[in-house]
């Protein structure tokens, strides 16, 4: 039977403010976005409940996945802006296993499910493989320097465009009872009230999974259920 599974991620709106102790980003109030280890890294987390399908002994499969956006990426700055180093990254994951904070940090550098470089004590890559990441995308945003942008050597603003737009969805069938959904956003350093980045806005995102449910033969389903349990407990 066909299903459409959907997860929604809210806006990220950051504004540079100053207090006696220094400058920092003020996060637009949102119950679904939190800072992750620093004021440059933010994550929105959601879940898709599949427990009803598991109770009916159904496997959930996927034909395709895609993303929709409810606006444009936008950035403003004062005095100057260096796009060679001040870029924004966005990683979106729908996984059959949860990620901890260290693994979310690592996902801004190397994508989970791939063979990543050895960096002992630096990044926690987890024990992911291709099957875990049902939907995955990675983007790097730079300001649009062609249309509607201010000069980088003076105060200005611009929309942002994805110079890198990678997808690595496995669309692997699962018997897991839950899908864990993450939008991990890594932004450049803030400025102060007279120079540097003043505002960064990333629009809401919707991930749609074109899914179906099927009742597999008992042996195949039990093996898939066992595999889902093993994957969830080896990360």
């Amino acid at each position: 039977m066909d299903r459409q599974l959907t997860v929604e991620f809210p806006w990220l709106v950051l504004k540079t403010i100053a207090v006696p102790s220094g400058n920092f980003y003020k996060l637009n109030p949102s119950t679904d976005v939190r800072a992750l280890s620093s004021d440059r890294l933010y994550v929105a987390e959601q879940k898709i409940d599949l427990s009803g399908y598991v109770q009916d002994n159904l496997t959930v499969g996927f034909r395709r996945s895609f993303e929709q956006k409810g606006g444009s990426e936008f950035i403003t700055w004062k005095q100057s802006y260096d796009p060679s180093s001040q870029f924004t990254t966005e990683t979106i994951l729908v996984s059959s296993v949860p990620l901890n904070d260290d693994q979310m940090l690592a996902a801004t550098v190397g994508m989970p499910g791939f063979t990543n470089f050895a960096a002992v004590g630096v990044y926690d890559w987890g024990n992911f493989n291709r099957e875990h990441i049902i939907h995955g995308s990675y983007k790097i945003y730079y300001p649009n320097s062609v249309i509607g942008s201010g000069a980088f050597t003076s105060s200005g603003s611009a929309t942002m465009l994805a110079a890198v737009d990678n997808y690595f969805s496995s669309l692997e069938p699962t018997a897991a009872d839950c899908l864990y959904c993450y939008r991990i956003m890594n932004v450049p350093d803030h400025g102060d009230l007279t120079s540097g980045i003043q505002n960064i806005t990333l629009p809401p995102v919707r991930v749609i999974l074109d899914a179906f449910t099927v009742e597999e033969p008992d042996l195949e389903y039990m093996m898939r259920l066992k595999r889902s349990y093993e994957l969830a407990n080896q990360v």
Side-chain angles (χ1 to χ4, degrees):
M1 185 176 295
D2 291 346
R3 295 285 189 273
Q4 190 176 83
L5 305 178
T6 304
V7 60
E8 307 263 355
F9 297 109
W11 290 86
L12 175 72
V13 179
L14 300 173
K15 181 180 180 180
T16 297
I17 65 171
V19 295
S21 60
N23 304 291
F24 65 95
Y25 280 132
K26 180 181 179 182
L27 175 64
N28 189 50
S30 173
T31 57
D32 298 319
V33 180
R34 64 182 175 93
L36 184 68
S37 77
S38 75
D39 69 347
R40 289 188 55 194
L41 195 60
Y42 297 86
V43 61
E45 303 173 71
Q46 303 286 350
K47 292 181 181 179
I48 299 176
D49 185 11
L50 303 180
S51 59
Y53 303 132
V54 175
Q55 292 174 4
D56 290 337
N57 296 329
L58 295 174
T59 298
V60 180
F62 306 92
R63 294 188 180 91
R64 60 184 179 273
S65 63
F66 56 96
E67 298 173 6
Q68 298 175 335
K69 290 198 172 182
S72 299
E73 294 78 12
F74 198 76
I75 187 169
T76 63
W77 62 88
K78 286 186 177 180
Q79 290 193 9
S80 64
Y81 173 74
D82 182 7
S84 66
S85 59
Q86 295 178 314
F87 53 85
T88 297
T89 70
E90 177 187 50
T91 306
I92 295 179
L93 303 171
V94 177
S95 171
S96 58
V97 297
L99 279 71
N100 61 36
D101 284 5
D102 290 336
Q103 290 161 356
M104 284 186 250
L105 172 62
T108 65
V109 179
M111 301 305 99
F114 290 89
T115 302
N116 285 302
F117 60 88
V120 178
V122 178
Y123 296 112
D124 178 3
W125 300 117
N127 192 24
F128 300 99
N129 62 37
R130 182 189 66 83
E131 296 178 31
H132 291 95
I133 310 303
I134 292 169
H135 173 86
S137 70
Y138 175 74
K139 300 176 180 67
I140 302 179
Y141 295 102
Y142 291 91
N144 183 351
S145 61
V146 179
I147 301 174
S149 173
F152 294 153
T153 55
S154 61
S155 299
S157 62
T159 57
M160 292 193 289
L161 300 177
V164 174
D165 190 358
N166 294 338
Y167 282 83
F168 48 98
S169 308
S170 72
L171 302 177
E172 190 73 19
T174 183
D177 61 359
C178 181
L179 297 181
Y180 301 87
C181 310
Y182 306 95
R183 185 191 190 191
I184 308 162
M185 298 152 285
N186 192 13
V187 301
D189 284 328
H190 56 72
D192 54 39
L193 295 185
T194 61
S195 64
I197 296 174
Q198 302 298 303
N199 173 269
I200 294 177
T201 300
L202 299 181
V205 173
R206 176 186 299 126
V207 180
I208 297 177
L209 302 169
D210 184 6
F212 61 91
T213 56
V214 61
E215 186 173 354
E216 296 182 295
D218 288 346
L219 180 58
E220 292 181 26
Y221 179 75
M222 293 305 296
M223 292 300 293
R224 190 181 301 280
L225 193 64
K226 177 176 179 291
R227 179 60 175 160
S228 294
Y229 177 81
E230 289 173 346
L231 290 174
N233 285 276
Q234 73 179 9
V235 175

